[in-house]
Amino acid sequence: MQTLSFPNKELCASIISLLTSIFPISLSNSTESENQVGTVEFLLLGLSDDSDLQPLLFGLFLSMYLVTLLGNLLIILAISSDSHLHTPMYFFLSNLSFTDICFISTTIPKMLVNIQRKSKTISYTDCLSQVCFGVGFAGLENFLLAAMAYDRYVAICHPLRYTVIMNLRLCVLLILLSLTISVVYALLQSLMLLRLSFCTDLEIPHFFCELVQVIKLACSDTLLNNILVYVMTSVLGGLPLLGIVFSYIKIVSSILQIPSAGRKSKAFSTCGSHLSVVSLFYGTGFGVYISSAVTDLSRKSAIASVMYSVVPPMLNPFIYSLRNRDMKKALMKIIQMSTL
């Protein structure tokens, strides 16, 4: 198992210099950040210090990672190979599956390599890369779920105008807008991390570099970083969630006005998979937040982070394939073709 390809030290230093020439960061912080690229190392404590549990953890997370890769790749392949699935809903689903693959690939490979090498260290560059990619892909998934909720809203509340409203141009625009906002947010958080100084005791009570945990380790002033995290998380996380809630309020209201029980059931079934994924994504996310807020036990917090960063990407393909008749047919065609 190989780690992700992170930028080398010279490239990272060049990026730091470029960013500091664009944004107002003091020269001392810039020089200090460049020096930290080759000297600072973080220690990922992981889920357990018990050496006897490491082979079990390696096998468990390797299995979860491979299941996630296979499941999401099958979803993408099924959608791309079946012309009946070339609709806005499945267009967003294929992008969600790709995002899930990228999201879990920012953390699990490094963890597996560390277990195999019996090492818990991660370099400053790799840690910063994990934060940047992790924040970016989590934000992108957030916006994709909101776009999928809007798609369901238009399909149920305005069925006659669905093909006009949800045209290819709008779908691509929603994806590009989501990607742009997520990239800008990830780069902004990474830039704010570059201004921080790190001293000693750089232990992260997780199996990957989580933004909030990295900020806690800084020995310089982190007020601006904390304000940015809470404000941007509230805005960029809250607005899509409000959009999802609003969409489903309208959807439920429209479905309840349908006189036929059969049509009601069919309308609800088209939203079942998406609603399950939304509940899993936000439910585990709020669970991590509450766990971090009410307990100081690092191990419990690390286990909660697994539920948020690993479990949803792994279960999403099962939710969509098991609850969706069209996806079942497309997957069965792929399986039949592979056995011929």
Side-chain angles (χ1 to χ4, degrees):
M1 182 65 64
Q2 299 293 325
T3 57
L4 292 175
S5 177
F6 293 116
N8 57 35
K9 297 177 182 179
E10 291 76 11
L11 178 58
C12 186
S14 301
I15 293 174
I16 293 172
S17 301
L18 176 61
L19 290 174
T20 51
S21 66
I22 299 174
F23 296 94
I25 298 180
S26 67
L27 181 62
S28 61
N29 282 338
S30 172
T31 305
E32 195 168 347
S33 295
E34 291 180 9
N35 292 335
Q36 288 181 138
V37 169
T39 59
V40 173
E41 282 191 337
F42 296 91
L43 193 65
L44 300 174
L45 299 183
L47 300 177
S48 175
D49 291 326
D50 190 347
S51 58
D52 294 333
L53 285 178
Q54 299 309 307
L56 177 62
L57 290 174
F58 181 85
L60 176 63
F61 278 89
L62 178 60
S63 301
M64 295 172 72
Y65 182 62
L66 293 177
V67 167
T68 302
L69 288 182
L70 180 61
N72 284 287
L73 285 174
L74 281 175
I75 292 290
I76 296 172
L77 182 60
I79 293 173
S80 61
S81 62
D82 193 335
S83 59
H84 295 93
L85 300 182
H86 293 175
T87 62
M89 181 178 74
Y90 294 108
F91 173 72
F92 290 127
L93 176 57
S94 61
N95 280 275
L96 180 68
S97 293
F98 178 74
T99 302
D100 282 337
I101 291 174
C102 296
F103 184 35
I104 196 172
S105 295
T106 62
T107 57
I108 299 301
K110 179 62 177 176
M111 176 190 181
L112 295 175
V113 170
N114 281 359
I115 292 177
Q116 191 71 17
R117 293 179 178 176
K118 298 181 180 180
S119 170
K120 295 185 177 183
T121 60
I122 182 171
S123 68
Y124 178 83
T125 304
D126 288 3
C127 188
L128 196 65
S129 299
Q130 273 197 350
V131 171
C132 182
F133 287 117
V135 168
F137 288 123
L140 181 57
E141 182 155 352
N142 197 33
F143 286 111
L144 285 175
L145 291 175
M148 295 172 76
Y150 178 71
D151 171 74
R152 292 298 84 204
Y153 159 73
V154 176
I156 293 175
C157 299
H158 305 283
L160 298 179
R161 300 178 56 199
Y162 178 74
T163 55
V164 177
I165 297 175
M166 297 303 297
N167 54 66
L168 179 60
R169 180 180 179 182
L170 178 62
C171 293
V172 173
L173 182 62
L174 288 174
I175 294 294
L176 291 177
L177 182 62
S178 302
L179 182 61
T180 301
I181 296 175
S182 301
V183 169
V184 170
Y185 175 56
L187 291 176
L188 182 59
Q189 291 290 4
S190 301
L191 177 66
M192 292 299 291
L193 282 181
L194 289 174
R195 60 183 291 275
L196 299 179
S197 301
F198 297 95
C199 303
T200 57
D201 299 326
L202 301 180
E203 295 182 348
I204 300 176
H206 285 273
F207 63 93
F208 66 97
C209 288
E210 190 181 47
L211 176 61
V212 176
Q213 296 295 331
V214 175
I215 293 175
K216 287 180 179 179
L217 297 178
C219 55
S220 54
D221 183 32
T222 61
L223 178 61
L224 288 177
N225 294 78
N226 289 321
I227 291 175
L228 181 66
V229 168
Y230 290 117
V231 171
M232 297 301 289
T233 301
S234 300
V235 173
L236 299 182
L239 289 180
L241 181 58
L242 287 175
I244 292 172
V245 172
F246 175 79
S247 297
Y248 274 102
I249 290 175
K250 291 291 187 179
I251 288 171
V252 171
S253 177
S254 297
I255 291 177
L256 292 178
Q257 296 176 9
I258 299 176
S260 171
R263 290 178 60 193
K264 282 183 180 180
S265 176
K266 184 178 180 180
F268 274 120
S269 66
T270 61
C271 302
S273 298
H274 177 258
L275 196 56
S276 299
V277 171
V278 168
S279 301
L280 182 63
F281 180 78
Y282 285 102
T284 53
F286 284 126
V288 171
Y289 176 79
I290 294 173
S291 174
S292 301
V294 301
T295 181
D296 293 328
L297 297 177
S298 59
R299 296 305 183 192
K300 288 187 176 181
S301 179
I303 293 173
S305 69
V306 172
M307 296 300 296
Y308 172 73
S309 60
V310 179
V311 174
M314 182 182 67
L315 294 183
N316 285 352
F318 293 99
I319 293 173
Y320 273 101
S321 60
L322 294 177
R323 297 178 61 93
N324 190 299
R325 186 178 301 174
D326 294 330
M327 282 301 307
K328 285 182 182 178
K329 291 180 180 179
L331 290 173
M332 287 302 297
K333 287 182 180 179
I334 293 177
I335 294 173
Q336 290 174 359
M337 291 175 60
S338 63
T339 55
L340 294 178

